[in-house]
Amino acid sequence: MRHSEIIALASLAAMGFGALLFGKYVAKTLERTIEEEARQKLAVIGFSDIEVQADGLVLALSGRVRSERDHEALTQTFGAMAGVSEVVDRIAVVAPPIELRPTVLVVQKDGDAFTLSGEAPDASTRDILVSKAQVATREIAPGAQLLNLLKAQDRGEPPTHWLSAAEAAIEAVAELRVGRATVERDLLRLEGAAPNAEVKAEIEATLQRKLGALTRLNLDISSPPPFLSPYTFRAEKRDGAVAITQCAAPDQQRRSVILGALTATGQAAQDPATTRCQIATGAPNEAWADAAARALETLAGLEAGEVAMIDDRIRLVGFLTKGVDVEAARERAAADWPDGFGLDLDLSEEFPVVSPFALSIVKRPGEVKLSGYAPSIERAEAWADRLGAINELALARGAPPEFSAAVGVVVDALAELKVGSAELRDTRFKLAAPGDELERAALADRLSNALPAGYRLAVEEARAPSALLGETPAAATSGTAALPTDRFLFTARRYDSGSTEVVGVVGDGATRAIVQAYARAKLGGDQMSINLGLRDATSPAGWQRALFAGLEALSELDAGEVTVERNAIYLRGRVEQADQARIASTALEDKTPRDYTRFSRITVAEPDLSIGLEDDSPLEPVACVGRLNAIVADAAIVFDSGSVVIDQSSFEEVEALAETLRRCPTARIEIGGHTDSSGPADANESLSLRRAQALLRNLAVRGVAENRLEAIGYGETQPVGDNETEEGRARNRRIEFKLLP
């Protein structure tokens, strides 16, 4: 080939390659322009995350959008784009995952409104929780109305610990007066107000027990202060130091007033326990803290003493330094007390020191009596309350260390016995108890181990009739039993079946014949068993009269028994009518020789409490007192013999007295107790006071305001009959009412 031809062909090839390169350059420039314009459009419509790629005049879109609406907007935007011949759609429509809120249960209670809200993991769990709430509103919070706003999510069965926490939250909120609980994945929050401290403690303990380690607990529960009745404050001064031994205050502010008054005495005991003072409701009036502060101030000025504030009654017993003007000290101590309190002030010149420090307890059917000395009012009252005893203890110093603790052991032992007695002299105690020798030995071992170090106790046989140790007045069937012949002892029983039994040791043959004849005359019946033994020894003074009195009293009972021993007679049983009990008690009281101690316990099968008044209209105070005295004149209040316990036969009269007192709500009434002249004068005064106090308490529990009543014991000082006759003595044993200013 010629060179010119080769050159020509080479020239043509070079020109074609250059044109190709130029064409490619132009195409790339066009594609970049299209892509840039597309990105600008995407930015304008808010889809800058969509990718674009141009291939010549073809535009490809790729990426994800959240909805078909977004997809349609994109295709419409690029469907008519200039310079683009085709749009390739590679966009995927992908909806975002639904984000469920955390599973949270909310339980609320406000009064009678009980609400469930929030979310449960699934429908089945929701139904379980709603059912639990329905049970709670029916059984735990009856009357509450359930509002169910609980929704179900589609999450499947919840963890066991979450469901347990949710159910516990529902129960806890139902117990509250107002409350709210939230249960999350691993946390239970509970806040609200409990009806009292006991419920609060129970809720907290239950939640702690039910929730495992996988659930945390956050509690904020409040509770109102407890209600105290009686409302009490006690303080004492011993060895130059004033100490609070029992304290209640309505709120923190008044608690500070009381404790501040203790500090102000400058004689506060160092024991931190003496500064405790419970916040509680139930104070008798707003001046409670001021009265307690005045009591502490008064104690500080004494040599020694004690004060007891029980509701609106204040009793202060104190002892002055020898040589101090007692009357002037009494005037100072009685001044400046807040209104609304009754003050019983007992100041004397010195606090006696006794040696030996002795105390006696005698427990018989129907009566327990404490006599001797006690180191404090509080201890004396506590022992008497534990035994239900007549408290004749005097205050004194000189008790050995741990004396009160030792007495407490003996008192607890006697509380478990039907009869018994104890004599305590310094650190040596003697306890008389029923039972056989082995039983008494076991009791001695038990008590000796409980006594403080240095104290010694001997247990001996209680000389009490075995017939009194049973629980019921008379058995259904009879059976003659021989009694010991080593002492005078007589028992007669009347059984439900109508049979009677007389057994005992009565004296000589003449006495036996007389007693047999009298028993047949009084108790009668074809089924009578008599087994009376003889003794050569002289019978106790008044023995035959005591036997006759017991048989006559027993003859009034439908079922029961009477036991007579040396200088004591015991009667117990059951009657259908109150009049029978009154006649039996009167016979025992009036016909038993004076030097015999009398005990009785008669129950009325169905006491008639229906005695009413003609109407319920208000009574003037004078008329009110007149009606009260008319009630007791018509039917005297009967007490168990030798006791301060009101016999059931007088319950209808007590109810009538209470109903009358409710008709004169503004009158202040004195309840005066009176006795005959039998026995020592001081004992009669004490007995009359305690019987008046017993009636006061019985009226109070029947709704009569206690602060309107005042009990006074006159003893034998105001007789209305001749104490030389049985009829006169019966008239002198009475209750009278007077109108107080």
Side-chain angles (χ1 to χ4, degrees), residues 629-642:
N629 284 319
I631 292 171
V632 294
D634 182 59
I637 303 299
V638 177
F639 292 84
D640 291 349
S641 296

Side-chain angles (χ1 to χ4, degrees), residues 46-132:
F47 291 95
S48 55
D49 56 340
I50 298 297
E51 297 180 0
V52 296
Q53 184 177 3
D55 184 6
L57 300 181
V58 177
L59 179 65
L61 303 176
S62 60
R64 295 182 178 184
V65 293
R66 294 173 179 268
S67 65
E68 289 294 341
R69 183 176 179 180
D70 291 343
H71 183 224
E72 184 180 352
L74 283 172
T75 56
Q76 288 178 355
T77 298
F78 291 98
M81 182 176 173
V84 175
S85 62
E86 182 182 356
V87 175
V88 177
D89 184 0
R90 298 172 183 163
I91 296 173
V93 178
V94 179
I98 299 174
E99 295 185 2
L100 296 175
R101 290 177 294 177
T103 302
V104 177
L105 171 69
V106 180
V107 188
Q108 289 180 283
K109 183 185 177 189
D110 187 359
D112 289 337
F114 195 93
T115 307
L116 283 184
S117 60
E119 299 83 22
D122 58 19
S124 177
T125 303
R126 177 196 59 195
D127 295 342
I128 291 173
L129 296 179
V130 171
S131 176
K132 187 73 173 180

Side-chain angles (χ1 to χ4, degrees), residues 153-233:
Q153 298 183 2
D154 189 13
R155 291 191 171 185
E157 187 176 346
T160 302
H161 72 274
W162 188 92
L163 182 57
S164 298
E167 292 180 326
I170 292 172
E171 292 180 349
V173 172
E175 296 277 2
L176 300 175
R177 291 189 295 111
V178 177
R180 173 186 171 91
T182 59
V183 184
E184 302 176 17
R185 181 176 60 184
D186 59 353
L187 175 65
L188 190 159
R189 291 188 180 94
L190 177 63
E191 58 184 359
N196 53 57
E198 289 76 13
V199 171
K200 173 186 174 182
E202 182 179 347
I203 290 174
E204 293 175 345
T206 300
L207 290 177
Q208 295 283 1
R209 185 177 68 253
K210 287 187 175 181
L211 300 186
L214 298 177
T215 303
R216 293 177 291 121
L217 187 59
N218 189 332
L219 296 178
D220 183 11
I221 305 175
S222 62
S223 63
F227 178 83
L228 293 186
S229 180
Y231 210 78
T232 306
F233 172 84

Side-chain angles (χ1 to χ4, degrees), residues 364 465 489 543 546 563-570 592 595-599:
R364 295 179 181 272
L489 189 60
W543 177 251
T563 296
V564 185
E565 63 175 2
R566 183 184 296 271
N567 298 326
I569 183 168
Y570 308 84
T592 302
D595 54 351
Y596 274 67
T597 305
R598 298 170 291 275
F599 303 98

